[in-house]
Amino acid sequence: MKYELIAPCHFGLEACTKKEILSLGYEISEVTDGRVAFYGDESAVCRSNIFVRTAERILLKTGSFTARTWDELFEKTKAIPWEQYIPADGRVWVAKATSVKSKLFSPKDFQTIIQKAIVSRLQSAYGMEGQRLPMDGADYALRVTALKDVITLAIDTSGESLHKRGYRKLAAKAPITETLAAALLMLTPWQADRILVDPFCGSGTFCIEAAMMAAGIAPGMNRNFAATSWTNLIPKEKWYAAYDEAYAIADSVDADALSGRVDIQGYDIDGEVIACARENARAAGVERYIHFQERGVDRLSHPKKYGFIVTNPPYGERISEKEELPALYGALGARYAELSDWSLYVITAYEDAEKYIGRKADKNRKIYNGMMKTYFYSYLGKKPPQKGNRQDGENA
C-alpha cells in the first residue's frame, strides 16, 4: 500500500533530509519548514526509520483537512477510516499537538477531541458501540499539527526520536543531537578520506556520526521502532529485509582498511568528558576509527593539509562562561589560522563568534537547535589537488 510519510527535521536543514530520502528512492511530495513529506510503501516505513540520519521521526499521514471549530474537528477526524490503520486493541492517543495561526489552539482540547473521534470511529468499525476498546495492543501515537486552520493527522512510526541511536549512554554538558550533527556534517564536503577534528568534542557526537557514515553503519540498525510491533500494517518480513540491507552495507566495509585511512579526532579539555566520548564510540561500534584526547583548543594542531574542523563550542549560557568566550573563540581562530588549507565549520549561538575567530565566515546559515537560534559558520579551505573534481563548500 502506498502511504504519504512525513519526516520532521531541524528548521533550516530540510535539504539534507530531502537528499537522504531521494537517495533511498522515494518521491518527495512536499518540503515545508521543518519537515519533508514523501510517498512510500510498507518498506519505506522500515527503511526510512533505519537509514535516514537527519530526521527526528517518521510519521504516517492519515488525513488533512480544514477545521475552524471543535465540532468540525471531531466530525472530520471521525470520517477518516482509522480501522485501516489501527486494530481493535491498538493503544491510540495524541502524543503531541501544535497550532500555528489557527483558530483552534488548545493542545489539551486537540488531544481530547481527536482521541474521542478516533475511538468512536473504531467502536463502530469493530462492532463495539457502547463498549470500551481494550487498548492493550501496540502503540499508535498521533502527532497533530494545525497550520492556518489546516489540520494534519499522522501516526508516529518511530516511537523514541530517531536521534536516539542507542550509543549515547553518557552525555556531556550541552550535547548536540545526533540528527543535527549528521545534518551539519552533510553540509560540508567532508569524506572519509579527509581529516576531521572536533576540538570541543563533548560526548563525541560529531566524531561518532562521521565514523558511522564512513563505516556504512545505518543510524537505526541497532534499535526498534514503534512500528516494529504493528503486525496489521507492516509484515515482519519487511522489517527483516530492511535490517538485513543495513547489515549487508555495514559488512561490506573493510574495517581494517578503513581504520588505516580514516583520521577522525576529538579533543576536550575535560578528561571525564573524553572518557564519556570513548564509551559512546565503543557503544556505537566505531571506537577504532576515532582518536579521543584530553587537550584544550589552544593545543589544536595537525601536520597534514586539507583537513576539516567541525565543532560545537560553548555558547556561554551562563554569565560566568560568557566571560571566557572571547579567549576561547580567539584561540580557535588562532589555531585554525596555523593549519594549512583547512576548512572550519562552527555551530554556535555566540553572536561575536566571527569577531573573535578573527575573520568573517565565507558562508553563514541560520539553524534552529530546538528553540535556540544558532549560526553555522563556514570557513572554506582549499580543495586538495588530487581531488580536482570535488568542490569545497556546501553540497546540500
Side-chain angles (χ1 to χ4, degrees), residues 2-19:
K2 191 174 185 180
Y3 299 108
E4 186 171 15
L5 304 171
I6 301 170
C9 58
H10 284 275
F11 282 87
L13 296 175
E14 298 84 3
C16 297
T17 304
K18 177 183 176 181
K19 184 177 181 180

Side-chain angles (χ1 to χ4, degrees), residues 123-360:
Q123 285 171 328
S124 297
Y126 293 119
M128 298 178 67
E129 291 93 337
Q131 302 176 53
R132 290 177 63 88
L133 294 173
M135 288 203 181
D136 55 3
D139 289 338
Y140 294 81
L142 268 79
R143 300 260 164 171
V144 181
T145 58
L147 176 61
K148 297 179 181 178
D149 300 325
V150 175
I151 315 298
T152 301
L153 307 177
I155 305 174
D156 182 5
T157 74
S158 302
E160 279 198 309
S161 173
L162 295 182
H163 82 265
K164 296 188 177 181
R165 321 285 207 216
Y167 67 74
R168 199 157 75 182
K169 311 296 183 183
L170 303 168
K173 183 175 62 175
I176 192 169
T177 66
E178 295 87 334
T179 47
L180 179 55
L184 295 179
L185 285 166
M186 290 178 187
L187 288 179
T188 80
W190 177 81
Q191 299 290 335
D193 61 346
R194 305 282 293 274
I195 304 156
L196 178 69
V197 177
D198 181 357
F200 302 97
C201 73
S203 300
T205 310
F206 272 129
C207 297
I208 293 169
E209 289 294 318
M212 289 175 67
M213 290 178 186
I217 298 174
M221 63 186 285
N222 293 313
R223 57 162 284 183
N224 289 319
F225 308 92
T228 53
S229 59
W230 293 0
T231 55
N232 64 314
L233 283 183
I234 305 174
K236 285 289 184 185
E237 54 264 29
K238 299 290 186 181
W239 284 108
Y240 296 147
Y243 282 115
D244 286 346
E245 180 186 357
Y247 279 104
I249 292 170
D251 289 343
S252 70
V253 175
D254 186 329
D256 290 331
L258 180 63
S259 182
R261 67 184 176 87
V262 75
D263 187 350
I264 300 173
Q265 302 182 28
Y267 308 148
D268 201 281
I269 200 168
D270 188 330
E272 291 185 4
V273 167
I274 287 295
C276 161
R278 286 197 183 106
E279 187 57 39
N280 290 338
R282 190 174 299 113
V286 295
E287 71 274 18
R288 69 185 298 181
Y289 307 126
I290 307 171
H291 174 68
F292 288 112
Q293 186 177 0
E294 183 179 344
R295 181 194 289 196
V297 66
D298 58 323
R299 295 172 54 212
L300 171 62
S301 65
H302 201 289
K304 294 183 179 179
K305 301 175 73 170
Y306 310 116
F308 289 79
I309 300 169
V310 183
T311 193
N312 174 40
Y315 302 164
E317 287 90 347
R318 290 194 288 267
I319 294 175
S320 60
E321 290 178 341
K322 275 192 173 174
E323 296 171 355
E324 302 170 1
L325 294 185
L328 188 146
Y329 282 80
L332 174 62
R335 298 315 305 158
Y336 170 59
E338 294 297 316
L339 294 167
S340 181
D341 296 323
W342 277 49
S343 298
L344 169 65
Y345 296 87
V346 181
I347 181 170
T348 181
Y350 184 44
E351 297 286 349
D352 290 329
E354 288 177 297
K355 173 183 176 182
Y356 291 107
I357 287 173
R359 57 176 272 205
K360 185 175 175 60

